[in-house]
Amino acid sequence: MNAAKDLDTPELRALLHFYADSGVEWLVEDGPVDRLAQFAAQKAAQAEAKMPPTARQQPPAQGEPAAPPRAAEAPARAKGRTAPTARPAAATAPPSVAVPDGEAVASARFAAESARSLAELKTALEAFNGCNLKNGARSTVFASGDPTSGIMVIGPMPNADDDRDGIPFSGRQGHLLDRMLGAIGLSRQTVMLTNVIPWRPPGSRMPSDAELDICRPFLERQVALAEPKLLLLLGNFPARFFFGGNGTIHSLRGEWRDISFSGSDLPAIATLHPQELLAAPANKALAWQDLLTFKMRLPTH
């Protein structure tokens, strides 16, 4: 196995991108860590913390023999070995992933509401560093297409292709979406494409509630600035985000719903995401029905 110091810059960059696409969030420590000993020490410390102060082991007074070793230390000494010294938890535990808190959400809201145009909102989003999702993503995937069309197509979050290209709906699912839109007389140039989440989560996992809270102000501002007349929601995650509840896309699709979002009342309809259609082509008939329903509300020119 080659060490990082033996790799040139392009090889190292490719390796880091591979790790990011695989969902790696942190690298191993520089030196070996005995996790079993660390766990035993943590358990012993937790047990001792629960004991009353009078029952905790006190250091021996000068001239008194030391207390016998605790049970966790005895087996190692019985074999003539010294039990490994547990490092402080803060020094050995992997760095915890930062979770957006109330202050970060307020900061996101201020940054979003300060934008007076979509261009300013994109700049504010790219400069914002308060969400841990951005740390593991290559790109900040902002909206594309025509923001004046009155039609907004919203997906869940960027996938690996979107993250690589920096635009929403890339790769195979993007090609299928192009065909879906074309079948009802639209294209990605004549609608506005965006996602609920602008950064790809590690390993394409679902975002947490805290991560969703910090991304919400940017999407709310995006909708307020674009002023769409119709929303087409692709997939289970956007449908739940806008409609609420825990229903599946099969129970939420195909029906127009009036929603209140970003201070506006908007008609929205949900259908299956292109990725779901690639995984189960039999569902294309359902998506086609939804698209025909959506087409009936399109403005005629």
Side-chain angles (χ1 to χ4, degrees), residues 39-293:
F39 178 74
Q42 290 174 346
K43 293 287 287 185
Q46 291 173 358
E48 185 173 352
K50 295 178 181 178
M51 295 171 59
T54 56
R56 296 178 186 174
Q57 184 177 358
Q58 301 294 331
Q62 187 173 2
E64 293 183 4
R70 289 180 292 185
E73 301 172 350
R77 294 191 179 183
K79 295 181 181 181
R81 293 181 283 108
T82 302
T85 302
R87 301 181 185 179
T92 58
S96 59
V97 179
V99 176
D101 54 13
E103 183 178 350
V105 173
S107 178
R109 192 171 303 281
F110 176 79
E113 293 178 353
S114 298
R116 293 294 175 262
S117 67
L118 288 171
E120 289 184 8
L121 182 63
K122 180 181 180 181
T123 300
L125 188 61
E126 291 173 339
F128 186 78
N129 294 316
C131 184
N132 60 286
L133 289 179
K134 187 176 182 180
N135 299 332
R138 296 190 200 181
S139 305
T140 296
V141 181
F142 194 68
S144 67
D146 183 5
T148 66
S149 64
I151 302 171
M152 184 175 284
V153 181
I154 304 177
M157 65 204 76
N159 64 7
D161 293 322
D162 303 343
D163 192 33
R164 180 197 62 228
D165 298 340
I167 57 174
F169 297 100
S170 298
R172 291 184 63 205
Q173 67 173 22
H175 294 316
L176 179 54
L177 178 61
D178 289 342
R179 295 197 295 271
M180 294 168 64
L181 294 175
I184 57 173
L186 300 174
S187 69
R188 66 170 57 228
Q189 290 77 31
T190 58
V191 301
M192 185 176 180
L193 301 177
T194 192
N195 286 304
V196 175
I197 304 294
W199 300 289
R200 182 197 178 204
S204 294
R205 63 167 172 79
M206 292 299 295
S208 67
D209 291 341
E211 292 163 346
L212 182 59
D213 286 343
I214 202 170
C215 293
R216 179 186 292 270
F218 293 105
L219 180 62
E220 289 178 342
R221 189 59 178 160
Q222 192 176 135
V223 172
L225 291 171
E227 298 181 332
K229 302 299 186 293
L230 301 173
L231 299 183
L232 177 61
L233 311 177
L234 301 179
N236 199 56
F237 183 75
R240 289 180 177 178
F241 178 82
F242 283 94
F243 297 158
N246 296 315
T248 67
I249 187 60
H250 289 279
S251 65
L252 298 174
R253 53 157 288 270
E255 180 182 348
W256 282 104
R257 301 169 188 248
D258 292 325
I259 62 173
S260 179
F261 190 77
S262 188
S264 301
D265 294 328
L266 299 170
I269 190 172
T271 190
L272 290 95
H273 191 278
Q275 185 58 45
E276 296 168 323
L277 301 181
L278 291 172
N283 287 327
K284 289 182 178 180
L286 299 177
W288 176 236
Q289 294 174 10
D290 301 338
L291 290 173
L292 291 178
T293 303

